[in-house]
Amino acid sequence: RKEVEQDPGPFNVPEGATVAFNCTYSNSASQSFFWYRQDCRKEPKLLMSVYSSGNEDGRFTAQLNRASQYISLLIRDSKLSDSATYLCAPSNDYKLSFGAGTTVTVRA
Amino acid sequence: DAGITQSPRHKVTETGTPVTLRCHQTENHRYMYWYRQDPGHGLRLIHYSYGVKDTDKGEVSDGYSVSRSKTEDFLLTLESATSSQTSVYFCAISESGTSGGLPHTQYFGPGTRLTVL
């Protein structure tokens, strides 16, 4: 079993829609969690970090379920610019373990 | 954006040749990391450094070595490149940890696209 698993998608949604996807992790000792977005052939960029049960930043909401060992990301009112691959990264001892990413495509 | 540069940005080399990739930061961050990214695998940690001359292996360290003689520079060397090392290589940096032990956000460089023929 991979340490971090994500639904690869793609999630193809219209502008204005809400899209949500999960990330499951196997290391119960993971303390903090990060969501990065990655545009094609570019470096990952931090979207948000989660240290407790969840975090919200504008249209983006992350929810952490430690009992079931998953973290979700919800995007409301999707924009064309939200089209990207979203990487989940639980941390432990200053190292991150990355999932392979979930691809989201927002269409006009 | 965090001050991280990588060089070269693109490189094509032949099997068996040595290759060195450089990561340079201007943030004075303690931790530096090298990852490779391949389709279907996501980012995989090769080596990381927690200070000058302090390095450790990641999950895919075979065939790679690193050095950190200054805070700002972290070098990744492929002693004898193989086709399986064709990949995109990302460097990342993060701040030192706090007494609470919470990890800090990693910031990534622009990447180096390496092709080994």
Side-chain angles (χ1 to χ4, degrees):
Chain A
R1 180 186 173 188
K2 290 184 179 179
E3 190 170 345
V4 183
E5 297 200 62
Q6 295 184 249
D7 183 340
F11 288 76
N12 193 329
V13 300
E15 269 188 298
T18 296
V19 60
F21 40 90
N22 289 342
C23 165
T24 59
Y25 61 95
S26 60
N27 186 351
S28 59
S30 294
Q31 301 160 337
S32 305
F33 304 82
F34 299 87
W35 282 103
Y36 286 82
R37 71 166 282 163
Q38 186 174 28
D39 297 298
C40 187
R41 302 170 80 88
K42 300 281 189 161
E43 72 272 25
K45 296 200 174 189
L46 179 72
L47 181 65
M48 61 190 344
S49 53
V50 183
Y51 295 120
S52 57
S53 61
N55 195 7
E56 184 172 329
D57 184 2
R59 299 182 293 107
F60 297 86
T61 300
Q63 289 287 345
L64 173 62
N65 186 319
R66 289 189 186 273
S68 300
Q69 294 186 205
Y70 74 85
I71 182 167
S72 64
L73 182 67
L74 182 146
I75 306 173
R76 284 183 296 276
D77 188 23
S78 298
K79 312 291 185 191
L80 294 175
S81 58
D82 294 333
S83 296
T85 297
Y86 291 86
L87 307 177
C88 167
S91 74
N92 195 28
D93 292 338
Y94 310 114
K95 294 184 286 185
L96 300 183
S97 298
F98 284 86
T102 296
T103 298
V104 173
T105 301
V106 182
R107 64 183 188 273
Chain B
D1 289 345
I4 312 169
T5 56
Q6 292 185 231
S7 59
R9 294 293 314 280
H10 301 271
K11 186 170 182 65
V12 179
T13 191
E14 294 187 350
T15 298
T17 60
V19 177
T20 295
L21 308 182
R22 180 184 184 230
C23 176
H24 179 78
Q25 61 147 328
T26 58
E27 306 294 326
N28 200 35
H29 285 187
R30 176 182 176 187
Y31 291 85
M32 299 185 75
Y33 310 81
W34 276 109
Y35 294 89
R36 62 177 290 173
Q37 187 173 36
D38 305 288
H41 287 280
L43 287 155
R44 292 182 290 174
L45 183 65
I46 305 171
H47 282 279
Y48 66 101
S49 170
Y50 46 94
V52 173
K53 292 184 169 42
D54 291 323
T55 65
D56 206 350
K57 296 179 179 180
E59 63 177 299
V60 291
S61 59
D62 287 349
Y64 302 94
S65 62
V66 290
S67 65
R68 191 168 178 200
S69 58
K70 298 184 290 184
T71 298
E72 57 266 35
D73 289 325
F74 192 31
L75 304 180
L76 177 71
T77 297
L78 291 66
E79 301 290 347
S80 178
T82 68
S83 58
S84 64
Q85 293 176 312
T86 292
S87 187
V88 180
Y89 291 85
F90 287 104
C91 172
I93 65 174
S94 71
E95 298 172 321
S96 299
T98 65
S99 58
L102 291 177
H104 285 240
T105 304
Q106 289 187 21
Y107 298 96
F108 286 82
T112 294
R113 190 167 297 274
L114 176 67
T115 302
V116 184
L117 301 175

